[in-house]
């Protein structure tokens, strides 16, 4: 019985007269918000009754009474007077007594109350706050928030209430001139419409509105100042006509010392005094990755758009640039600039040699395609459909016919032998022009990017900005294969493999994909070359003559090389120089084992070995 508390003693002990005055212990009177913590060790052998103490502390009882906020059950029988007693201690400033305490924050920064407000009222108050700097308190208390000085100045009016009244608007309208008669063009009573001036030129509506701090009404106009139009004679027709993009005075300039050598041969002759045979079949020797820069061709002033080696031998290099010029370079000996071809008025988009190399075709943003003589520099023919050509390609089996991918989603076919297309082959300006294609291939849904001949030149593959690939039979304007998958990106450049069974395409999602050039035209999913960046640029892709390596430019100024069989990146060289920009053009030499040429946005052409 000694372990029982004094309030719960047995009836036998209640009969005994105790000389000690019992002290009634109330849990509510002994518990405070911050009680003093006793450091004394209370013994279980202490007397049950303690006399003459004003502060009595029972640790067992105190531990039972103090419950944690996370407890779900109480092990102490709390009296009713304690349950109804108000809470003690300082109040929690972050605690609300309305609703569920756990849901007092409905946004990240606190609690936002929902207010029923129409869209018109919200827009009005929002515009008032934006223009005047104050608005009404949405709680409905009638107070204002924001710039209270402006609110007091404008008496708390919003932008709707500050509009001029009908009487003021009528007075302003009476000051304007009459709109006039629409049937009278000039003179008294001529039609002025919304351009009617105000009669009082000294005090314009702008000043009046500024003084009244009012906005313009819906039927009013803001007039800055009255400007008297100067009468002038009409311009002649020649001053308003659009200038033609087509020019007929194509010129070329020879930069060498002599056009002919001691035997009367021009630069078209394949050099024989080298330690390499430039007349052998391309791809008969093993290729290697270049490692160092051996020469830089400098003459262009803007970005390089296309680079082409002379067919088969590769002793000449043709470059097309955004500076409207085409330049022919000597790859061997002194590596000098041989000839500059001038005849386009805008950036040159593409250039290609005929299979024999005696002529080449250029395409430009001036919507012209021009056929040039490689040796004399004269413009032989001109072709145009009124649209911008993006790519051009001669048919190797029909050297007089070529295809052009246009910006109007069409592939057009021209023949250089037609009477309207050829013009005598004289000096600059003597060539004829033609705008009538012999065939049109019209199935793409976007500008055409690439044209690649496959299957012994009986078919060709085209790609477009519509993220599709189409295969065609030559001279038949109906596609035999259409490929457009949801995961496909636009294919911007193409290069056929020397074995004639595959074509590598530069995809805009930073990878090079490979498609078969046989009957099925399926994608080879096992061959995908990654590791470079090409998004945003039309960057060239090329395959070595022996088919062992794949080469591509990079938007960061690099040239990347991959192994064709494994798809592993073999090497990466910085070909653009520091701050030179993307490398958009690259080409393997058809006869050399490890020589490539690159061109970028800086206008320089670099030769690597």
């Amino acid at each position: 019985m000694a372990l029982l508390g004094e309030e719960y003693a047995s009836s036998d002990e209640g009969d005994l007269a105790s000389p000690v005055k019992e002290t009634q212990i109330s849990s509510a009177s002994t518990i405070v918000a911050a009680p003093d913590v006793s450091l004394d060790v209370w013994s279980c052998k202490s007397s049950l009754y303690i006399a003459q103490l004003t502060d009595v502390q029972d640790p067992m009882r105190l531990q039972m009474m103090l419950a944690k906020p996370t407890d779900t059950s109480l092990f102490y029988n709390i009296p009713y007077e304690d349950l109804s007693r108000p809470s003690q201690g300082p109040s929690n400033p972050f605690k609300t007594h309305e609703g569920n305490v756990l849901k007092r924050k409905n946004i990240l920064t606190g609690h936002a109350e929902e207010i029923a407000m129409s869209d018109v009222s919200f827009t009005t108050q929002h515009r008032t706050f934006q223009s005047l700097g104050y608005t009404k308190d949405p709680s409905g208390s009638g107070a204002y928030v924001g710039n209270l000085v402006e609110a007091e100045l404008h008496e708390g009016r919003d932008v709707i209430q500050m509009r001029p009244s009908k009487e003021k608007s009528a007075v302003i309208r009476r000051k304007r001139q009459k709109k006039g008669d629409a049937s009278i063009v000039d003179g008294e009573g001529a039609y002025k419409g919304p351009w009617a001036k105000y009669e009082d030129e000294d005090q314009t509506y702008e000043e009046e509105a500024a003084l009244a701090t009012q906005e313009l009404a819906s039927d009013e106009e803001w007039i800055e100042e009255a400007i008297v139009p100067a009468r002038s004679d009409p311009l002649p027709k020649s001053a308003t006509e659009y200038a033609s993009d087509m020019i007929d005075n194509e010129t070329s300039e020879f930069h060498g010392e002599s056009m002919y050598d001691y035997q009367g041969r021009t630069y078209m002759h394949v050099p024989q005094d080298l330690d390499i045979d430039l007349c052998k079949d391309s791809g008969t020797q093993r290729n290697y990755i270049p490692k160092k820069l051996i020469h830089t061709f400098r003459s262009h002033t803007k970005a390089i758009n296309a680079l082409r080696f002379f067919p088969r031998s590769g002793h000449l290099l043709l470059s097309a640039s955004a500076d409207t010029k085409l330049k022919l370079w000597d790859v061997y000996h002194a590596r000098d600039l041989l000839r500059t071809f001038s005849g386009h008025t805008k950036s040159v988009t593409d250039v290609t040699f005929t299979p024999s190399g005696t002529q080449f075709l250029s395409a430009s943003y001036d919507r012209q395609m021009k056929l040039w003589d490689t040796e004399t520099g004269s413009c032989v023919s001109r072709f145009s459909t009124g649209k911008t050509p993006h790519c051009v390609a001669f048919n190797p089996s029909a050297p007089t016919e070529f295809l052009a991918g246009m910006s109007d989603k069409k592939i057009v076919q021209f023949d250089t032998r037609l009477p309207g297309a050829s013009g005598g082959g004289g000096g600059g300006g003597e060539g004829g022009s033609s705008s009538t294609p012999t065939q049109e291939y019209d199935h793409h849904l976007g500008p055409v990017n690439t044209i690649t001949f496959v299957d012994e030149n009986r078919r060709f593959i085209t790609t477009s900005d519509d993220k599709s690939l189409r295969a065609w039979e030559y001279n038949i304007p109906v596609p035999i294969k259409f490929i457009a998958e949801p995961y496909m990106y636009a294919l911007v450049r193409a290069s056929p493999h020397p074995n004639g069974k595959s074509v590598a395409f530069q995809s805009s999602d930073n990878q090079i994909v490979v498609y078969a050039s046989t009957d099925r035209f399926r994608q080879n999913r096992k061959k995908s070359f990654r590791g470079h960046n090409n998004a945003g640029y039309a960057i060239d892709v090329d395959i070595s003559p022996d088919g062992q390596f794949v080469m591509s430019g990079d938007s960061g100024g690099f040239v990347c090389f991959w192994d064709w069989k494994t798809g592993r990146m073999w090497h990466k060289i910085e070909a653009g120089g520091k701050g030179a920009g993307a490398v958009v053009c690259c080409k393997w030499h058809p006869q050399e084992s490890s020589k490539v040429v690159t061109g970028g946005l800086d206008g320089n052409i670099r030769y690597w070995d």
Side-chain angles (χ1 to χ4, degrees), residues 221-291:
E221 287 187 312
W222 189 278
I223 298 182
E224 294 185 357
E225 58 182 356
I227 301 176
V228 180
R231 295 185 176 273
S232 60
D233 297 332
L235 295 174
K237 185 178 180 181
S238 59
T240 58
E241 286 183 339
Y242 287 101
S244 176
D245 290 331
M246 184 174 179
I247 59 176
D248 298 335
N249 56 344
E250 295 88 356
T251 61
S252 66
E253 179 184 0
F254 179 72
H255 300 278
E257 296 180 357
S258 176
M259 184 68 185
Y260 304 95
D261 61 3
Y262 69 99
Q263 291 185 351
R265 301 172 301 187
T266 64
Y267 52 74
M268 296 291 291
H269 174 71
V270 179
Q272 306 292 332
D273 56 344
L274 304 174
D275 56 353
I276 183 174
D277 183 12
L278 297 181
C279 297
K280 68 178 184 300
D281 293 336
S282 178
T284 56
Q285 61 180 356
R286 181 180 176 85
N287 290 108
Y288 301 93
I289 301 296
K291 295 183 179 181

Side-chain angles (χ1 to χ4, degrees), residues 104-422:
R104 64 179 182 273
K105 293 178 65 174
N106 58 358
I107 60 175
L108 184 62
T109 57
H111 181 80
E113 297 182 357
E114 295 184 1
I115 301 293
M117 180 181 292
S118 64
D119 293 339
V120 177
S121 301
F122 180 82
T123 304
T124 302
Q125 296 300 325
H126 181 64
R127 290 180 55 196
T128 303
F129 186 80
Q130 283 187 324
S131 59
L132 302 177
Y134 67 89
T135 185
K136 288 184 178 180
D137 190 351
S139 62
S141 60
Y144 291 87
V145 295
N147 193 343
L148 300 181
V149 178
E150 291 289 334
E152 184 180 359
L153 177 63
H154 299 290
E155 299 179 355
R157 293 178 298 175
D158 54 31
V159 293
I160 302 298
Q161 297 171 346
M162 295 180 65
R163 289 180 178 177
S165 61
K166 294 184 178 179
E167 293 77 8
K168 292 183 179 180
S169 299
V171 173
I172 295 174
R173 283 195 295 271
R174 281 196 296 269
K175 293 183 179 181
R176 285 188 89 171
Q177 299 176 357
K178 295 183 179 181
K179 294 185 178 180
D181 189 359
S183 60
I184 302 176
V185 179
D186 195 6
E188 185 178 359
Y191 179 72
K192 296 181 176 122
W195 301 278
K197 299 180 181 179
Y198 289 90
E199 296 178 356
D200 189 1
E201 297 291 343
D202 297 333
Q203 184 179 6
T204 62
Y205 178 53
E206 176 184 1
E207 298 174 347
E208 186 178 1
L211 293 175
T213 64
Q214 296 176 348
E215 292 190 354
L216 295 175
S218 59
D219 58 345
E220 301 294 335
E221 287 187 312
W222 189 278
I223 298 182
E224 294 185 357
E225 58 182 356
I227 301 176
V228 180
R231 295 185 176 273
S232 60
D233 297 332
L235 295 174
K237 185 178 180 181
S238 59
T240 58
E241 286 183 339
Y242 287 101
S244 176
D245 290 331
M246 184 174 179
I247 59 176
D248 298 335
N249 56 344
E250 295 88 356
T251 61
S252 66
E253 179 184 0
F254 179 72
H255 300 278
E257 296 180 357
S258 176
M259 184 68 185
Y260 304 95
D261 61 3
Y262 69 99
Q263 291 185 351
R265 301 172 301 187
T266 64
Y267 52 74
M268 296 291 291
H269 174 71
V270 179
Q272 306 292 332
D273 56 344
L274 304 174
D275 56 353
I276 183 174
D277 183 12
L278 297 181
C279 297
K280 68 178 184 300
D281 293 336
S282 178
T284 56
Q285 61 180 356
R286 181 180 176 85
N287 290 108
Y288 301 93
I289 301 296
K291 295 183 179 181
K292 63 179 180 179
L293 178 66
I294 59 177
H295 188 72
T296 302
F297 302 93
R298 293 185 176 91
S299 181
H300 286 292
T301 59
K302 292 185 178 180
I304 306 297
N305 291 335
L307 294 173
R308 299 291 183 268
F309 278 106
F310 193 84
R312 189 181 177 88
S313 64
H315 69 286
L316 298 176
L317 175 65
L318 181 65
S319 62
S321 173
D323 60 4
T324 72
K325 307 294 183 182
L326 298 108
K327 295 181 182 294
L328 192 66
W329 309 82
D330 184 13
V331 177
Y332 297 95
H333 301 108
R335 297 192 177 99
D336 293 332
L337 175 63
L338 297 177
R339 187 179 289 275
T340 299
F341 304 84
S342 304
H344 289 289
T345 60
K346 294 183 180 180
S347 173
V348 183
T349 59
D350 195 14
V351 66
T352 181
F353 277 104
T354 59
S356 61
T358 57
Q359 296 175 336
F360 66 89
L361 184 71
S362 63
S364 172
Y365 278 110
D366 60 5
R367 303 191 292 274
Q368 299 294 318
M369 294 171 285
K370 299 188 177 185
L371 186 64
W372 305 80
D373 188 279
T374 310
E375 184 174 7
T376 63
S378 61
C379 181
V380 179
S381 303
R382 309 179 191 92
F383 308 88
S384 178
T385 62
K387 303 298 179 181
T388 302
H390 287 181
C391 56
V392 288
F394 275 100
N395 186 354
S397 300
T400 59
E401 298 178 357
F402 69 91
L403 299 176
M406 312 301 291
S407 60
D408 61 347
K409 319 169 195 175
K410 296 181 180 179
I411 300 106
V412 292
Q413 178 179 329
F414 286 94
D415 194 333
T416 59
R417 298 170 298 180
L418 293 181
S422 59

